[in-house]
């Protein structure tokens, strides 16, 4: 898999330079390209490259920030994905002293390249001012702007730093999420759920309370949001979250005959199967899942939980067969050695076994 930082090729940056020359007659295209691809370019990661390009752009664009950002906003629709990614970072590197104009620019640019990273330092620096702006954005007729509200106020986002405003005041974004919980766009509603899921890791009681209140509306969309928002709590078997969805301790349920491939290689599938037995005389609502205990470099095991299904388990035996690819991700390296497979029902581990990765 290619490195995402390699999107910023020479042709991509050269083309951006041409487009900048089209709106800034005196833009020093050759100097811009030479400065971007300096001797340190190869050692920079994705965000370091974005920051470097944005700073370089700020040094070479004529006029003041207010004037140039308006011109860049008019240019961004004509830019490719990698080119457009530079504009949100340009706002961070050059516009932190100008909250109002920067916010206006983000509302424009996020429609072409997400400003979810760019908006966070502004929220931390101007929490009161930005709250008012974010509230206005919840009423935007553009789903990308509305989604920027929920993504931008997440406590954590992948590759991003923790939002200190929410870290200090956990309910900061709740009124904003309230305004978006019935959004017509599933794209936005899923973002609302992801925001609450991150919050649930530090404030489970708060999120369950919100879930209880929102579920009382009877909206199918809201129910889906809350279930997705509580997914981490449900995987962990957090009792108040389980109660929200009538999931009880699985008394009368057992897991037998667990089996899995004894040895697998990286990027191969782990095959596994097991029997779920309902020994009672009535159906029991269950949330069925499994967890892979990935071996870490220090010899310890870190579990990642996965959902299989949610169903009513009738009396008798159900045989389940599944496959799971043992593959590396951007946040997980696969080490050879002993790994663990657990089967969970309603958050409780009912069976486990081990397998080797070579």
């Amino acid at each position: 898999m290619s490195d995402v930082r390699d999107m910023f090729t020479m042709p991509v940056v050269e083309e951006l330079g041409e487009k900048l020359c089209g709106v800034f007659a005196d833009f020093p295209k050759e100097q811009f390209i030479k400065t971007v691809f300096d001797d340190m370019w190869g050692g920079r990661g994705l965000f370091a490259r974005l920051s470097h390009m944005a700073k370089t752009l700020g040094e070479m664009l004529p006029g003041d920030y207010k004037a140039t950002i308006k011109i860049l906003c008019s240019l961004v629709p004509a830019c490719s994905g990698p080119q457009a990614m530079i504009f949100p970072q340009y706002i961070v590197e050059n516009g932190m002293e100008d909250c109002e104009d920067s916010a206006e620019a983000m509302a424009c640019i996020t429609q072409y390249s997400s400003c979810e990273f760019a908006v966070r330092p502004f929220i931390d620096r101007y929490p009161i001012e930005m709250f008012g702006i974010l509230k206005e954005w919840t009423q935007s007729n553009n789903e990308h702007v509305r989604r920027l509200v929920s993504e931008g106020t997440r406590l954590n986002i992948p590759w991003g730093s923790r939002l200190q405003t929410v870290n200090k005041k956990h309910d900061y974004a709740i009124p904003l999420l309230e305004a978006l919980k019935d959004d017509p766009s599933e794209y936005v509603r899923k973002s609302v759920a992801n925001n609450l899921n991150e919050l649930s890791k530090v404030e489970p009681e708060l999120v369950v309370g919100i879930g209880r209140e929102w579920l009382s509306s009877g909206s199918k969309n809201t129910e889906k949001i809350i279930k997705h928002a509580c997914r981490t709590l449900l995987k962990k078997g957090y009792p108040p979250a389980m109660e929200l969805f009538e999931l009880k301790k699985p008394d009368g349920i057992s897991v037998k005959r667990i089996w899995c491939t004894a040895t697998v290689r990286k990027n191969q599938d782990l095959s596994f199967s097991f029997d779920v037995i309902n020994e009672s005389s009535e159906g029991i609502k269950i949330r069925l899942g499994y967890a892979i205990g990935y071996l870490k470099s220090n010899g310890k095991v870190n579990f990642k939980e996965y959902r299989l299904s949610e169903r009513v388990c009738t009396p008798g035996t159900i045989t389940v067969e599944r496959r799971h690819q043992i593959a590396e991700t951007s946040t997980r390296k696969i080490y050879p050695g002993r790994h663990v497979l657990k089967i969970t029902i309603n958050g409780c581990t009912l069976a486990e076994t081990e397998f080797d990765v070579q």
Side-chain angles (χ1 to χ4, degrees), residues 183-210:
D183 195 275
S185 168
E186 184 177 3
Y187 178 60
V188 175
R189 296 195 304 272
K190 186 174 181 180
S191 176
V192 170
N194 287 336
N195 187 308
L196 289 173
N197 181 60
E198 288 299 328
L199 190 58
S200 75
K201 298 172 185 178
V202 296
E203 277 280 13
E205 292 183 9
L206 174 62
V207 172
V208 169
I210 292 168

Side-chain angles (χ1 to χ4, degrees), residues 153-156 162-163 165-174 177 192-208 210 229 232-233:
T153 56
R154 281 173 64 173
L155 176 62
N156 286 310
R162 176 166 287 206
L163 190 64
T165 296
V166 174
N167 193 39
K168 296 172 184 175
K169 189 177 186 300
H170 290 150
D171 62 351
Y172 174 84
I174 301 306
L177 303 182
V192 170
N194 287 336
N195 187 308
L196 289 173
N197 181 60
E198 288 299 328
L199 190 58
S200 75
K201 298 172 185 178
V202 296
E203 277 280 13
E205 292 183 9
L206 174 62
V207 172
V208 169
I210 292 168
T232 297
L233 299 178

Side-chain angles (χ1 to χ4, degrees), residues 109-134:
I109 291 170
T110 201
Q111 299 176 45
Y112 306 94
S113 182
S114 178
C115 288
E116 62 196 74
F117 292 100
V119 75
R120 295 167 74 80
F122 285 90
I123 294 172
D124 277 342
R125 184 162 179 177
Y126 307 100
I128 296 174
E129 295 88 341
M130 283 304 302
F131 184 88
I133 292 169
L134 292 164

Side-chain angles (χ1 to χ4, degrees), residues 29-205:
K29 173 190 166 185
E30 298 303 325
Q31 183 184 352
F32 173 66
I33 295 169
K34 182 178 179 180
T35 305
V36 166
F37 293 104
D38 62 9
D39 294 338
M40 298 174 63
W41 177 258
R44 293 188 178 99
L46 172 62
F47 286 99
R49 288 186 176 186
L50 279 170
S51 178
H52 171 61
M53 288 187 285
K55 288 177 180 177
T56 301
L57 195 58
E59 292 168 358
M60 296 184 180
L61 286 177
D64 62 13
Y65 175 75
K66 288 180 183 291
T68 56
I69 196 61
K70 290 184 184 299
I71 296 174
L72 291 178
C73 283
S74 68
L75 178 64
V76 69
C79 293
S80 68
Q83 293 166 355
M85 288 175 66
I86 299 171
F87 293 97
Q89 192 62 33
Y90 174 86
I91 295 172
V92 175
E93 300 294 349
N94 301 281
M96 285 304 301
E97 302 302 321
D98 189 341
C99 179
E100 186 175 347
D101 286 292
S102 292
E104 183 178 343
M106 283 187 279
C108 167
I109 291 170
T110 201
Q111 299 176 45
Y112 306 94
S113 182
S114 178
C115 288
E116 62 196 74
F117 292 100
V119 75
R120 295 167 74 80
F122 285 90
I123 294 172
D124 277 342
R125 184 162 179 177
Y126 307 100
I128 296 174
E129 295 88 341
M130 283 304 302
F131 184 88
I133 292 169
L134 292 164
K135 188 174 181 180
E136 290 181 10
W137 286 353
T138 65
Q139 304 302 311
S140 171
N141 59 8
N142 187 283
E143 65 177 0
H144 296 284
V145 177
R146 300 195 305 274
R147 182 180 178 272
L148 181 57
V149 177
S150 47
E151 283 299 295
T153 56
R154 281 173 64 173
L155 176 62
N156 286 310
I157 54 176
W159 302 310
S161 58
R162 176 166 287 206
L163 190 64
Q164 292 307 310
T165 296
V166 174
N167 193 39
K168 296 172 184 175
K169 189 177 186 300
H170 290 150
D171 62 351
Y172 174 84
I174 301 306
L176 304 172
L177 303 182
E178 285 271 3
L180 296 171
K181 70 176 187 293
D182 292 313
D183 195 275
S185 168
E186 184 177 3
Y187 178 60
V188 175
R189 296 195 304 272
K190 186 174 181 180
S191 176
V192 170
N194 287 336
N195 187 308
L196 289 173
N197 181 60
E198 288 299 328
L199 190 58
S200 75
K201 298 172 185 178
V202 296
E203 277 280 13
E205 292 183 9

Side-chain angles (χ1 to χ4, degrees), residues 311-324:
R311 58 185 296 174
V312 174
C313 182
T314 57
T317 300
I318 303 169
T319 299
V320 180
E321 298 179 350
R322 289 291 189 276
R323 292 176 178 269
H324 181 94

Side-chain angles (χ1 to χ4, degrees), residues 260 270 272 289-295 301-306 323-326 332 334 339-344 353 355 357:
C260 72
L270 171 75
F272 63 96
Y290 65 98
I292 302 289
Y294 293 97
L295 184 66
V301 171
N302 182 50
F303 282 94
K304 171 66 176 176
E305 301 175 19
Y306 304 91
R323 292 176 178 269
H324 181 94
Q325 188 180 48
I326 304 300
R332 182 190 308 117
I334 301 297
H339 289 56
V340 181
L341 168 68
K342 289 183 177 182
I343 307 302
T344 63
T353 189
F355 62 96
V357 175

